[in-house]
Amino acid sequence: MSSAPPIAVVRHPRARCARLSIDPATGVVKLTLPPRAPLAPALRWAEEKRGWIAAEHAKLPQPQPFIDGGSVPFRGAPLTIAWDAKAPRRVVFAGDHLVSGGPIEGLSGRITRWLRAQALALLSAETAEFADRAGVTVARVSIGDPRGRWGSCSSSGAIRYSWRLILAPDYVRRATVAHEVAHRVHMHHGPAFHAQVAALVGADADRSRAWLKRHGAALHWVGRSL
């Protein structure tokens, strides 16, 4: 990462003063300002905080690129990426290794596509499992790579997840699925909703939230280049 990252300026209607923050999922430095606050003095103030910015950047998770010999978490356990020029291009799950051949420059993309395929298959199956237990239907399951949420459920019954849930321990992923399926019963976060989630996964709901609060940001650095 650069020692002097750029500063993104955001005007927020409810901001009352200038505020600097670091996005733990991306490392982006954000300067939030009230709608009519003068820009130049705010930028000078932010530049004076470069020491703080550098210190906060140093605390961010380290990128984990998908390279030969690199490590990738899969369902909470580390796997070693092994590139074999003589092997087929397709990614093979072999014990504690992910083995792939083909051109080395396409290795990262192949690992990413394999992880996404695994995520969609498992999340689809678990969504169907929990939906059956809750007595609801789900219109569609899809995956993406959002930075701000691990799952979402629309009023039409479509559920979308972050593919990066496949990197987390199983109980974290399953609790997230239960959370979204519970929204098919209650489209809010009131007591009835939390009771529904608890009925599906019990104490794992609290364990999952604690795990994601502590480790979730690091999942967004998996697969990123150094």
Coordinates of all heavy atoms in Angstrom, one line a residue, residues 67-74 77-83 91-100 111:
I67 N -1.5 -16.6 -5.1 CA -0.3 -16.9 -5.8 C 0.2 -18.3 -5.4 O -0.2 -18.9 -4.4 CB 0.8 -15.9 -5.5 CG1 1.1 -15.8 -4.0 CG2 0.5 -14.5 -6.0 CD1 2.2 -14.9 -3.6
D68 N 1.1 -18.9 -6.3 CA 1.7 -20.2 -6.0 C 2.4 -20.1 -4.6 O 3.2 -19.3 -4.4 CB 2.7 -20.5 -7.1 CG 3.3 -21.9 -6.9 OD1 2.6 -22.8 -6.3 OD2 4.4 -22.1 -7.3
G69 N 2.0 -21.1 -3.8 CA 2.5 -21.1 -2.4 C 1.8 -20.2 -1.4 O 2.1 -20.3 -0.2
G70 N 0.9 -19.5 -1.9 CA 0.1 -18.6 -1.0 C -0.9 -19.4 -0.2 O -1.2 -20.6 -0.5
S71 N -1.5 -18.7 0.8 CA -2.5 -19.3 1.6 C -3.9 -18.7 1.4 O -4.0 -17.5 1.3 CB -2.1 -19.3 3.1 OG -3.1 -19.8 3.9
V72 N -4.9 -19.5 1.4 CA -6.3 -18.9 1.3 C -7.2 -19.7 2.4 O -7.1 -20.9 2.5 CB -6.8 -19.1 -0.1 CG1 -6.8 -20.6 -0.6 CG2 -8.3 -18.7 -0.2
P73 N -7.9 -18.9 3.1 CA -8.9 -19.6 4.1 C -10.1 -20.1 3.3 O -10.6 -19.5 2.4 CB -9.3 -18.4 5.0 CG -9.1 -17.2 4.2 CD -8.0 -17.4 3.3
F74 N -10.4 -21.4 3.7 CA -11.6 -22.0 3.0 C -12.4 -22.7 4.1 O -11.9 -23.6 4.8 CB -11.1 -23.0 2.0 CG -12.3 -23.7 1.3 CD1 -13.2 -23.1 0.5 CD2 -12.5 -25.1 1.5 CE1 -14.2 -23.7 -0.1 CE2 -13.5 -25.8 0.9 CZ -14.4 -25.1 0.1
A77 N -10.5 -22.8 7.4 CA -9.2 -23.5 7.5 C -8.3 -23.1 6.4 O -8.8 -22.9 5.2 CB -9.4 -25.0 7.5
P78 N -7.0 -22.9 6.6 CA -6.1 -22.5 5.6 C -5.8 -23.6 4.6 O -5.6 -24.7 4.9 CB -4.8 -22.1 6.3 CG -4.8 -22.9 7.6 CD -6.3 -23.1 7.9
L79 N -5.8 -23.2 3.3 CA -5.4 -24.1 2.2 C -4.2 -23.4 1.5 O -4.1 -22.2 1.4 CB -6.5 -24.3 1.2 CG -7.8 -24.9 1.7 CD1 -8.8 -25.0 0.5 CD2 -7.5 -26.3 2.2
T80 N -3.2 -24.2 1.0 CA -2.1 -23.7 0.3 C -2.4 -23.9 -1.2 O -2.8 -24.9 -1.7 CB -0.8 -24.5 0.6 OG1 -0.6 -24.4 2.0 CG2 0.4 -24.0 -0.1
I81 N -2.1 -22.8 -1.9 CA -2.3 -22.8 -3.4 C -1.0 -23.4 -4.0 O 0.1 -23.0 -3.7 CB -2.5 -21.3 -3.9 CG1 -3.8 -20.7 -3.3 CG2 -2.5 -21.3 -5.4 CD1 -3.9 -19.3 -3.5
A82 N -1.2 -24.4 -4.9 CA -0.1 -25.1 -5.5 C -0.3 -25.0 -7.0 O -1.3 -25.5 -7.6 CB 0.0 -26.5 -5.1
W83 N 0.6 -24.4 -7.7 CA 0.5 -24.3 -9.2 C 1.4 -25.3 -9.8 O 2.6 -25.4 -9.4 CB 0.9 -22.9 -9.7 CG 1.0 -22.8 -11.2 CD1 -0.1 -22.7 -12.0 CD2 2.2 -22.7 -12.0 NE1 0.4 -22.6 -13.3 CE2 1.7 -22.6 -13.3 CE3 3.5 -22.6 -11.7 CZ2 2.6 -22.4 -14.4 CZ3 4.4 -22.5 -12.7 CH2 4.0 -22.4 -14.0
V91 N -9.3 -26.0 -11.0 CA -8.8 -26.1 -9.6 C -9.3 -27.3 -9.0 O -10.5 -27.7 -9.1 CB -9.3 -24.8 -8.8 CG1 -8.8 -24.9 -7.4 CG2 -8.8 -23.5 -9.5
V92 N -8.4 -28.0 -8.3 CA -8.7 -29.3 -7.6 C -8.4 -29.1 -6.1 O -7.4 -28.7 -5.7 CB -7.9 -30.5 -8.2 CG1 -8.2 -31.7 -7.4 CG2 -8.2 -30.7 -9.7
F93 N -9.4 -29.5 -5.3 CA -9.3 -29.5 -3.9 C -8.6 -30.8 -3.4 O -9.2 -31.8 -3.5 CB -10.7 -29.3 -3.3 CG -10.7 -29.2 -1.8 CD1 -9.7 -28.7 -1.0 CD2 -11.9 -29.6 -1.1 CE1 -9.7 -28.6 0.3 CE2 -11.9 -29.5 0.3 CZ -10.8 -29.0 1.0
A94 N -7.4 -30.7 -3.0 CA -6.6 -31.9 -2.6 C -6.1 -31.8 -1.2 O -5.0 -31.2 -1.0 CB -5.5 -32.1 -3.6
G95 N -6.8 -32.3 -0.2 CA -6.4 -32.3 1.2 C -6.3 -30.8 1.7 O -7.4 -30.2 1.7
D96 N -5.1 -30.4 2.0 CA -5.0 -29.0 2.4 C -4.4 -28.1 1.3 O -3.8 -27.1 1.6 CB -4.2 -28.9 3.7 CG -2.8 -29.5 3.5 OD1 -2.5 -30.0 2.4 OD2 -2.0 -29.4 4.5
H97 N -4.6 -28.5 0.0 CA -4.1 -27.7 -1.1 C -5.2 -27.5 -2.1 O -6.1 -28.3 -2.3 CB -2.9 -28.5 -1.8 CG -1.6 -28.4 -1.0 ND1 -1.4 -29.1 0.2 CD2 -0.5 -27.8 -1.3 CE1 -0.2 -28.9 0.6 NE2 0.4 -28.1 -0.3
L98 N -5.0 -26.4 -2.8 CA -5.8 -26.1 -4.0 C -4.8 -26.2 -5.2 O -3.9 -25.4 -5.2 CB -6.4 -24.7 -4.0 CG -7.6 -24.5 -3.0 CD1 -8.2 -23.1 -3.2 CD2 -8.7 -25.5 -3.3
V99 N -5.0 -27.1 -6.1 CA -4.0 -27.4 -7.1 C -4.6 -26.9 -8.4 O -5.8 -27.2 -8.8 CB -3.6 -28.9 -7.2 CG1 -2.6 -29.1 -8.3 CG2 -3.1 -29.4 -5.9
S100 N -3.8 -26.2 -9.2 CA -4.3 -25.7 -10.5 C -3.1 -25.6 -11.5 O -2.0 -25.3 -11.1 CB -4.9 -24.3 -10.4 OG -5.3 -23.8 -11.7
I111 N -8.6 -19.4 -9.1 CA -8.8 -19.6 -7.7 C -10.1 -18.8 -7.3 O -11.0 -19.4 -6.6 CB -7.6 -19.2 -6.8 CG1 -6.4 -20.0 -7.1 CG2 -8.0 -19.3 -5.4 CD1 -6.6 -21.5 -6.8

